[in-house]
Amino acid sequence: MHNYRNAVIAFAAACPAVAQAQSTEQLKTELGALKAHVQKLEAMIDQADQARAEAKAKARAPEPDTSAEVARLRVKTDATDDAMQASGLKGLKISGYIDPTYIRNRNAGTSSFVFLNNNSSINGSGESFGYDNTYFGSALLNLDKELEGGSKLRISLMPSKGTASGYNFGNLVHEASASIPLGDQSTRLLLGQIPDWSGYEYIPSTQNKLLTHNLLFDFSSANFYTGAGLQLLRGKWDSKIMLGNMNSARVNDGGDRTPGVFYRVDYAMSEFSGFGISGTHAGFDDEDTVGRLDLMEVDGFYTRGDWNIQGQLSYGRQQATAANRYGAEQQRWYGLSSLVSYKIMPRLEAIARLDYIFNGTGGGGVFGATLAPGCKDLAGFAANCPDGRNGFGPGMVLRGGQWFVLDPTQGANRGTLSVGTRYLLVPGVSVKGEYRYDYATARTFRTLDGQYRRDNQVIGVSTVVSF
């Protein structure tokens, strides 16, 4: 900068030689302009020198001592961690929801709000399980705890409508399970009571897109397992297998019973798609018979953008029992279910689901249906009545003003079409609506006035509030 200033002064000193060829007025004008330009350059040089001086002074200034503040924050953080550890709050997560629901059932002639009622006849309530009375209208509280070393504990409480409520009366526990690493986190020991893991649908209303569940979920799967098993996590594969009781906290028949086997294998094909295979192989108790049950299914999903597609294929076989048999030693059924959803807008989702069960043999008794004696066939012999609430079993025919079983050895096939919407009202609050049409290939649905029809209609609205 100083060299530049000297050059400017030298240039100004040379101006008199040039001025000899010019008039006095022109010389004065040019000298004035040159003087102004030199003053401007000198001001810029002074500003630059001042900026360099300030930067050097700042660089020499000592940094504030923050070590005491850091030490104080470290002590405070350690004390908070110790307090959480001592109180059991470290690694604890609490979540839950409620979903008060309104349901209208045409055949039953009911129109009611549903919340915290029973799905079985507990204490003489007279209620029973049905596709219009499953896990919705409930309250769920989850307690998840992760211990040092990676062990995980989950306790889920669901009054009146948990997985065990219909089998262990008064039981509030929906799930009580532990997952313990064996050597590393990818091999884990499973213990306790675990909800059935088959299919693409879930019990919590926060995870189920519609109010009701598909036919395979309600009538071709177990409720829960009690026992022990292993979980193997290997890359994209997640495999689980258990030995224990199906739908029972303890087997008390006094006989020589072997544990059931329950398994599921999932494969994540990508972030947007995957499939799973599951099976249940166990014995179950009936009023007169101990039967054998085999349930197998494969399910998959594809999610991309606003679209979501889920599907399931199932096969079921059970040893004939007094409550479900007529003219067959084995009952078999096949089923399929598919759900498609599309987000019309970020908060609004449209959903459609189609189910079908081929169930023509053995009188139409699937695992989850309840057929019972009390009817007669056209020849006057005793026969099982259909499950009139859920539409399973042999078809009925009207003769002479009375209803008879048309063919006790033939069951009706069953189908369902459900359409609905789900709207995110505010964070943590969703409103769901569903219209459901159930149909059968024979007259298996019983009406309020004692008649039998081939179909039924249900409408429901639910508000899910979760945290």
Side-chain angles (χ1 to χ4, degrees), residues 48-85:
D49 291 342
Q50 184 178 359
R52 283 198 302 271
E54 291 177 355
K56 290 181 180 179
K58 185 176 181 181
R60 289 194 298 268
E63 293 291 335
D65 186 7
T66 60
S67 58
E69 180 66 17
V70 171
R72 189 185 68 83
L73 291 176
R74 184 179 292 112
V75 171
K76 184 176 181 180
T77 302
D78 292 342
T80 303
D81 290 341
D82 292 342
M84 292 184 66
Q85 181 72 34

Side-chain angles (χ1 to χ4, degrees), residues 31 47 75 169 172 235 242 397 406:
L31 286 174
Q47 290 178 359
V75 171
F169 296 148
L172 302 179
M242 286 187 66
V397 62
L406 181 61

Side-chain angles (χ1 to χ4, degrees), residues 133-186:
N133 187 35
T134 57
Y135 297 102
F136 54 80
S138 59
L140 177 68
L141 180 65
N142 289 320
L143 303 175
D144 292 284
K145 172 78 172 180
E146 183 168 357
L147 309 177
E148 290 187 9
S151 296
K152 299 177 182 179
L153 175 68
R154 161 168 278 205
I155 299 177
S156 300
L157 305 178
M158 183 185 283
S160 302
K161 288 195 171 183
T163 53
S165 61
Y167 301 89
N168 188 6
F169 296 148
N171 189 350
L172 302 179
V173 177
H174 171 70
E175 177 179 356
S177 63
S179 174
I180 304 169
L182 300 177
D184 57 56
Q185 300 293 329
S186 62

Side-chain angles (χ1 to χ4, degrees), residues 281-333:
H281 309 279
F284 66 95
D285 293 319
D286 183 71
E287 295 177 357
D288 305 314
T289 311
V290 175
R292 187 71 194 174
L293 175 71
D294 296 292
L295 303 172
M296 290 167 284
E297 65 87 25
V298 57
D299 58 82
F301 73 93
Y302 177 81
T303 301
R304 195 65 181 264
D306 296 327
W307 287 96
N308 171 67
I309 302 173
Q310 295 169 290
Q312 179 179 349
L313 298 173
S314 292
Y315 168 75
R317 179 183 67 183
Q318 67 180 8
Q319 182 178 326
T321 64
N324 287 289
R325 179 197 58 201
Y326 199 93
E329 294 183 358
Q330 292 279 346
Q331 295 170 292
R332 293 180 175 85
W333 62 90

Side-chain angles (χ1 to χ4, degrees), residues 218-240:
D218 284 337
F219 301 103
S220 188
S221 65
N223 283 49
F224 67 95
Y225 318 121
T226 303
L230 288 175
Q231 180 179 17
L232 306 176
L233 302 171
R234 300 292 187 271
K236 295 184 177 182
W237 293 93
D238 181 1
S239 305
K240 298 185 287 286

